[in-house]
Amino acid sequence: MAILASGSGSNAANFMAYYRDHPCISVSLVVSNNASAYVLERAREAGIPTAVLPGPMWEDSRAVLSLFDRHRVTAIVLAGYMRLLPPYFIRKYPNRIFNIHPALLPDFGGKGMYGMHVHRAVINAGVTRSGITIHLVNERYDEGPILFQATLEVQPEDTPETLATKVQKLEHKHYPKTVENHLLKNHTPV
Ligand code: GAR
């Protein structure tokens, strides 16, 4: 699999650790749109190849697809990746692109809803539950089939920051496992 991430990459690091000794799945490439993203440092430390693909480079579909092919990528994990994927890329990996959202979709999703923006919106809305959503990415982006959700109670004293910490714990616990279950169930030899 390839991991696409734009920021710190704690989920990406968690995937690299989870799959390090896996018998049939490995992380073979870490891609960021942002050359200074800390996730690239984490990948280098783990000895995993990295690539930086800023927005305009995605227009060259042949170059992009051949990069992923060279690393024998057959599944994509979005881990805090803040850009839309082009349709040709989504078509190349049908039902094999995963995303995690730090709230309970379909609530608190859509344009501009990422990272701390989501947790601020949850706290401002005064809801008593939040959680995580792991879903497949299709051409209607945030509407891909949901594979897994886990919930937590929002406490009256929670701030966006404390909520983010609790949500991230849930992400680390469930994201690699949910992807593994899906890939092993839908395995096609390559
Ligand atoms: C994660 O909490 C993830 O759910 C969120 O970005 C964070 C990345 O953290 N993704 C979105 O908001 C997507 N809409 P990380 O860089 O520490 O893994």
Side-chain angles (χ1 to χ4, degrees), residues 7-11 79-80 82 100-102 113-115 168 171:
S8 141
S10 75
N11 277 284
M82 301 309 173
I100 191 158
H101 187 76
M113 279 296 190
Y114 58 88
Q168 206 141 58
E171 296 187 333

Side-chain angles (χ1 to χ4, degrees), residues 16-25:
M16 294 184 246
Y18 187 89
Y19 288 105
R20 191 168 33 227
D21 300 315
H22 196 282
C24 48
I25 302 172

Side-chain angles (χ1 to χ4, degrees), residues 45-116:
E45 267 168 32
I48 293 173
T50 60
V52 178
L53 290 183
M57 281 179 76
W58 284 88
E59 283 162 28
D60 187 347
S61 59
R62 274 179 58 161
V64 169
L65 294 178
S66 93
L67 168 72
F68 285 80
D69 282 344
R70 276 202 306 281
H71 291 275
R72 303 180 63 216
V73 169
T74 59
I76 308 291
V77 169
L78 306 185
Y81 186 67
M82 301 309 173
R83 299 202 47 114
L84 278 179
L85 295 171
Y88 73 80
F89 191 77
I90 296 175
R91 279 196 298 272
K92 162 92 181 191
Y93 299 100
N95 294 319
R96 297 177 76 82
I97 306 180
F98 303 87
N99 185 37
I100 191 158
H101 187 76
L104 298 171
L105 288 175
D107 296 339
F108 304 106
K111 205 170 162 28
M113 279 296 190
Y114 58 88
M116 288 306 290

Side-chain angles (χ1 to χ4, degrees), residues 16-178:
M16 294 184 246
Y18 187 89
Y19 288 105
R20 191 168 33 227
D21 300 315
H22 196 282
C24 48
I25 302 172
S26 64
V27 178
S28 59
L29 180 65
V30 171
V31 174
S32 185
N33 55 307
N34 171 8
S36 55
Y38 184 54
V39 68
L40 295 169
E41 187 64 42
R42 297 196 200 246
R44 282 182 214 114
E45 267 168 32
I48 293 173
T50 60
V52 178
L53 290 183
M57 281 179 76
W58 284 88
E59 283 162 28
D60 187 347
S61 59
R62 274 179 58 161
V64 169
L65 294 178
S66 93
L67 168 72
F68 285 80
D69 282 344
R70 276 202 306 281
H71 291 275
R72 303 180 63 216
V73 169
T74 59
I76 308 291
V77 169
L78 306 185
Y81 186 67
M82 301 309 173
R83 299 202 47 114
L84 278 179
L85 295 171
Y88 73 80
F89 191 77
I90 296 175
R91 279 196 298 272
K92 162 92 181 191
Y93 299 100
N95 294 319
R96 297 177 76 82
I97 306 180
F98 303 87
N99 185 37
I100 191 158
H101 187 76
L104 298 171
L105 288 175
D107 296 339
F108 304 106
K111 205 170 162 28
M113 279 296 190
Y114 58 88
M116 288 306 290
H117 296 287
V118 177
H119 303 304
R120 265 183 231 119
V122 168
I123 295 288
N124 288 341
V127 295
T128 54
R129 284 186 342 147
S130 189
I132 62 168
T133 303
I134 297 165
H135 66 98
L136 291 172
V137 174
N138 60 22
E139 288 188 44
R140 286 197 314 247
Y141 220 68
D142 256 349
E143 298 169 34
I146 291 176
L147 299 176
F148 180 86
Q149 289 187 304
T151 60
L152 57 76
E153 274 185 38
V154 181
Q155 303 297 335
E157 65 274 19
D158 269 328
T159 62
E161 289 73 23
T162 61
L163 183 59
T165 304
K166 292 179 192 174
V167 165
Q168 206 141 58
K169 263 196 200 130
L170 277 184
E171 296 187 333
H172 295 169
K173 178 166 178 207
H174 295 290
Y175 197 15
K177 182 88 202 142
T178 302

